[in-house]
Amino acid sequence: MSRPAHPIEPSSDQITKLSSSFSKVPNLTDYAGEYMRFTWRDAWRLLDGLPGEKGYNIAHEAVDRHAAGPKADKVAIRWLGKSGDRREFTYRDLSEATSRFANALINLGVLPGERVFVLMGRLPELYVAVLGALKARCVVSPLFSAFGPEPIATRVEIGDGRVLVTTLGLYRRKVESVRAKLAGLAHVILVGDETFEDAGLHAWSALMETASASFAIAPTDPEDMALLHFTSGTTGRPKGAIHVHGAIAAHHMTGIYALDLHDDDVFWCTADPGWVTGTSYGILAPLTNGVTSVVVEAEFDAQTWYSVLQRERVNVWYTAPTAIRMMMRLGSDVVKSYDLSALRFMASVGEPLNPEAVVWGQEAFGIPFHDNWWQTETGGIMIANFAALPIKPGSMGLPLPGIAAAIVRRLKNGGVDGIDTPMVEGELALRKGWPSMMRGYLNEEERYRKCFVGDWYLTGDLAKRDSDGYFWFVGRADDVIKSAGHLIGPFEVESALMEHPAVAEAAVIGIPDPTVGEVVKAFVALKPGHEPNENLRKELLGHARKRLGPAVSPKQIDFRANLPKTRSGKIMRRLLRARELGLPEGDLSTLESDEK
Ligand code: AMP
């Protein structure tokens, strides 16, 4: 079981409840009443549906319906480039560009249901590609641009990618070496650099120029697959969580309730679209709610971020604990030197938000950070601290209207038992039935089935609920690692290390880090004839980094003569972690061979 770097037990002084001050009446003022009254059927009424009752398509709800109405000339996306350039796309512009891309895919012979992967930084074309592919009823799968060739190849292969939209630089560095493995990848579309000449590659601009800017979305069933988001488990290869077009109802409602989006808001989600937050809230929720979304191409830098908040008059800001902790290090005086008077609501997601960070928000910005919880599989925010409710620093908050959450204990007979006693730890479970719940792991029925007991989806997170109904994160029930908000599967890292000729066995764990939550640490046993030394350590670090990319590769490697294993031969990462951190070693009855 992995515990967060910052244990967040509520102590009496931490339960100082913080309340926001409102410059606008929050959308959700009567939580209890709304929770009782809410039905997803009512929520669907806030969407339009395709003209002629031809179903629901995410791109219609997010773009075309606004382009056809009074918001046509409103800025949908304001893009701020790394070198100071700035481009604005109205809902009409976005509708035309996404229509062009949908037509471009069809001109290439790409069919509905086929998978379009996107691999690039936060460039405007990424947003056009995602929404255009959804219009063409293709399935979009975003990849993180800091992945190395291995994670990219694995995901494109599992997802049966037919199209990849990327840049020439990323293609050369990360895809070219693995392309031969990807037999189904018929088209690579390159954004930005038009000077290449290779066969099998298309220039984005050439495809877009010849494609028509008008496109009528074909009938789309809300249960049609729309997005494939990869996530990791303790064992096995990455899992492709399937999301459907109807998920947009949840993106819409959670934008209203948990992010408190109002019609004239300027919204900024700092997450990379290579991960689920960057898609659900960096693209879809703000657009379906018709607000203006700021997209910042540059990577994190505290002062740059404050300037963006000030200059763009951002009203609602959705960010993550690692960034908040980095900002905290610079102190609150820096924040106060900016005019952030437009900022009304701040939220955070992705990893435990330590109580001090919530309180620091209040001190530095005059408003607290509102922590919320969800995961790739849930597709949207499930538990949140709301604008109008008191915040308990360190708590993830209360379930959204339409979401039933519980703390459960797994039983030996395969069932679960609800835990009603306050502050008793168990697994966080959600009752199925909300629109953005994953519909499966691609081609992995058994892994998907195991997530459910009866009507309940078991999240793999350990948590507690207090007597006011607030949920408190405890840790993961499995061995996945959360580093800078990115979920890392130990198996993927171990497999890359094992490809090195000197490595006999590898085990990977997360160790606490005050800034990024956890960092990846590997333990390696060498094959006979190889001696542990500093050069080999560096070589292995470099090998892993080259294959996996900086976001996933281990930061530390220790050599061991043997790794602790169970009788069935499974490496006991839990034990390695306990020893590394000086924690109790727990039940060792299945331990067969030991490292010592
Ligand atoms: P991902 O699927 O990559 O979005 O990761 C989801 C996991 O991140 C959850 O299952 C949690 O373990 C963790 N997580 C997300 N939000 C929070 C939060 N607010 N507090 C603590 N952990 C979180």
Side-chain angles (χ1 to χ4, degrees):
M1 180 183 79
S2 106
R3 298 213 169 242
H6 310 277
I8 41 179
E9 296 290 326
S11 68
S12 54
D13 58 330
Q14 279 170 358
I15 309 184
T16 5
K17 297 182 182 179
L18 295 175
S19 294
S20 315
S21 58
F22 312 120
S23 48
K24 262 185 196 155
V25 179
N27 291 326
L28 184 61
T29 44
D30 171 21
Y31 172 79
E34 195 86 349
Y35 191 88
M36 294 295 289
R37 283 188 299 271
F38 180 89
T39 67
W40 284 108
R41 193 176 312 139
D42 291 341
W44 284 100
R45 298 206 179 102
L46 298 179
L47 303 178
D48 271 14
L50 288 169
E53 304 204 341
K54 297 211 172 97
Y56 288 85
N57 182 295
I58 290 180
H60 175 78
E61 302 305 327
V63 183
D64 282 6
R65 65 164 166 158
H66 300 310
K71 288 189 175 160
D73 295 317
K74 178 172 181 176
V75 175
I77 291 179
R78 187 183 297 157
W79 178 77
L80 309 173
K82 265 187 211 157
S83 38
D85 32 350
R86 182 186 170 92
R87 285 171 67 187
E88 290 193 334
F89 296 81
T90 62
Y91 279 94
R92 193 197 313 274
D93 297 336
L94 201 54
S95 175
E96 286 177 8
T98 52
S99 288
R100 277 186 202 280
F101 189 67
N103 281 319
L105 288 174
I106 287 169
N107 294 346
L108 287 174
V110 181
L111 299 172
E114 290 189 324
R115 319 280 153 66
V116 175
F117 280 75
V118 287
L119 169 73
M120 71 185 109
R122 290 176 291 270
L123 294 174
E125 289 83 355
L126 181 143
Y127 299 79
V128 173
V130 168
L131 293 159
L134 290 170
K135 276 190 172 177
R137 295 177 303 145
C138 294
V139 176
V140 176
S141 188
L143 293 167
F144 188 36
S145 56
F147 278 157
E150 295 283 329
I152 291 170
T154 308
R155 286 159 178 78
V156 174
E157 197 212 311
I158 296 174
D160 194 14
R162 180 145 157 84
V163 178
L164 172 69
V165 189
T166 185
T167 62
L168 185 59
L170 286 169
Y171 180 75
R172 289 259 150 86
R173 275 186 285 128
K174 303 182 178 215
V175 184
E176 214 164 27
S177 62
V178 290
R179 177 132 191 215
K181 289 192 213 168
L182 307 172
L185 187 62
H187 305 286
V188 175
I189 302 175
L190 297 179
V191 167
D193 192 329
E194 317 300 355
T195 57
F196 60 90
E197 285 173 0
D198 303 15
L201 304 177
H202 308 274
W204 167 276
S205 55
L207 292 180
M208 292 291 275
E209 263 161 34
T210 49
S212 156
S214 85
F215 186 87
I217 300 175
T220 311
D221 190 300
E223 285 300 308
D224 282 350
M225 199 193 298
L227 294 154
L228 190 58
H229 279 295
F230 281 89
T231 185
S232 299
T234 301
T235 54
R237 307 213 299 166
K239 305 175 271 190
I242 296 169
H243 290 283
V244 297
H245 277 276
I248 194 71
H251 301 138
H252 191 90
M253 286 318 301
T254 52
I256 294 174
Y257 285 144
L259 300 178
D260 198 39
L261 292 176
H262 285 59
D263 216 36
D264 52 354
D265 276 339
V266 174
F267 171 71
W268 180 24
C269 168
T270 62
D272 191 280
W275 300 89
V276 71
T277 307
T279 307
S280 294
Y281 296 97
I283 307 179
L284 305 178
L287 293 179
T288 174
N289 278 293
V291 306
T292 296
S293 211
V294 172
V295 172
V296 178
E297 186 192 8
E299 293 308 323
F300 173 80
D301 169 73
Q303 304 257 25
T304 310
W305 279 24
Y306 299 148
S307 321
V308 170
L309 291 171
Q310 172 178 277
R311 198 180 54 242
E312 306 306 327
R313 310 274 311 148
V314 172
N315 307 113
V316 179
W317 188 33
Y318 195 21
T319 189
T322 293
I324 297 171
R325 290 191 286 265
M326 294 195 319
M327 289 185 273
M328 281 172 80
R329 287 218 298 260
L330 278 187
S332 46
D333 286 349
V334 190
V335 184
K336 288 178 187 153
S337 67
Y338 291 82
D339 171 10
L340 305 183
S341 51
L343 197 55
R344 187 185 80 245
F345 186 76
M346 307 195 297
S348 162
V349 73
E351 22 160 352
L353 183 65
N354 21 336
E356 313 85 71
V358 179
V359 177
W360 180 75
Q362 180 81 55
E363 190 218 313
F365 294 84
I367 45 174
F369 285 102
H370 296 73
D371 188 17
N372 59 51
W373 178 97
W374 59 291
Q375 54 181 199
T376 304
E377 287 85 345
T378 72
I381 301 169
M382 298 283 108
I383 294 177
N385 285 284
F386 297 98
L389 289 184
I391 296 174
K392 298 191 190 187
S395 161
M396 310 186 287
L398 295 157
L400 267 86
I403 303 301
I407 300 293
V408 303
R409 182 185 298 117
R410 291 189 192 237
L411 302 174
K412 288 214 169 73
N413 66 8
V416 288
D417 203 9
I419 300 175
D420 290 329
T421 320
M423 297 318 274
V424 172
E425 181 178 317
E427 189 166 347
L428 176 61
L430 304 165
R431 191 160 55 217
K432 54 188 191 193
W434 69 96
S436 65
M437 175 65 205
M438 68 160 167
R439 298 297 195 273
Y441 290 126
L442 190 71
N443 305 329
E444 299 223 54
E445 182 53 33
E446 180 61 14
R447 260 172 133 184
Y448 173 68
R449 214 181 39 74
K450 278 193 177 149
C451 300
F452 295 89
V453 175
D455 269 356
W456 291 86
Y457 163 67
L458 301 183
T459 65
D461 276 5
L462 302 174
K464 303 174 187 179
R465 184 172 47 191
D466 69 19
S467 49
D468 292 332
Y470 281 65
F471 285 82
W472 298 77
F473 183 77
V474 173
R476 288 286 308 187
D478 57 17
D479 289 341
V480 293
I481 299 158
K482 256 280 155 132
S483 186
H486 305 141
L487 200 71
I488 299 171
F491 181 75
E492 198 167 15
V493 182
E494 290 158 3
S495 305
L497 284 167
M498 303 261 294
E499 281 170 26
H500 190 281
V503 176
E505 283 177 337
V508 163
I509 62 167
I511 54 170
D513 178 272
T515 306
V516 296
E518 286 183 307
V519 290
V520 178
K521 172 158 190 169
F523 296 88
V524 161
L526 296 174
K527 286 186 184 152
H530 295 275
E531 286 305 314
N533 59 44
E534 209 38 48
N535 281 345
L536 184 55
R537 189 199 313 276
K538 284 200 187 117
E539 189 180 318
L540 290 176
L541 286 168
H543 160 92
R545 194 179 158 92
K546 196 162 154 236
R547 279 182 164 60
L548 297 166
V552 181
S553 63
K555 303 291 172 283
Q556 298 175 27
I557 294 184
D558 272 8
F559 295 107
R560 292 280 191 276
N562 295 295
L563 298 177
K565 287 197 214 62
T566 62
R567 282 188 205 113
S568 56
K570 280 209 307 208
I571 293 174
M572 295 179 81
R573 300 189 191 98
R574 181 178 56 82
L575 182 57
L576 280 167
R577 192 167 193 277
R579 286 179 179 162
E580 181 71 16
L581 304 180
L583 301 171
E585 294 192 357
D587 177 7
L588 297 182
S589 57
T590 60
L591 181 65
E592 169 80 4
S593 58
D594 207 347
E595 56 185 331
K596 288 172 184 163

